[in-house]
Amino acid sequence: MRQRTWTVVVPVKRLGVAKSRLRGALPGVPHEELALALAADTVAAVRACPAVAGVVVVTRDARVAAAVRAAGVRVVPDAPDAGLN
């Protein structure tokens, strides 16, 4: 088995502005719910990788932070208006 050596950083914008090109892609699904589901699925996929030792999510969104913390992921707050870079 491979040793877990990687730490993956996942940037997630505020849900209201995240994944803007997908807005309206799923009728009947609120955009923020879709963006949150995509972020949660991304974190789950990263955590499932055998080479990943840790995951850090960078976000200012309280809902994203709560969801990924519940999954055991470290959250680092994004500085206001600094962008995700």
Side-chain angles (χ1 to χ4, degrees), residues 58-74:
V58 180
T59 189
R60 327 177 18 193
D61 193 284
R63 286 181 64 199
V64 171
V68 299
R69 277 191 188 112
V73 173
R74 181 175 168 218

Side-chain angles (χ1 to χ4, degrees), residues 6 8 18 22 25 32-33 39 41 43 54 63 83:
W6 289 89
V8 177
L22 293 177
E32 289 189 3
E33 296 302 318
D41 286 352
V43 168
R63 286 181 64 199

Side-chain angles (χ1 to χ4, degrees), residues 4-84:
R4 293 179 177 264
T5 56
W6 289 89
T7 298
V8 177
V9 178
V10 180
V12 182
K13 293 179 182 178
R14 286 177 290 115
L15 293 176
V17 297
K19 303 298 179 192
S20 60
R21 287 179 276 183
L22 293 177
R23 188 169 299 282
L26 295 175
V29 176
H31 181 76
E32 289 189 3
E33 296 302 318
L34 175 61
L36 181 58
L38 288 167
D41 286 352
T42 299
V43 168
V46 170
R47 291 186 75 217
C49 178
V52 174
V55 181
V56 178
V57 170
V58 180
T59 189
R60 327 177 18 193
D61 193 284
R63 286 181 64 199
V64 171
V68 299
R69 277 191 188 112
V73 173
R74 181 175 168 218
V75 176
V76 175
D78 186 25
D81 300 320
L84 294 174

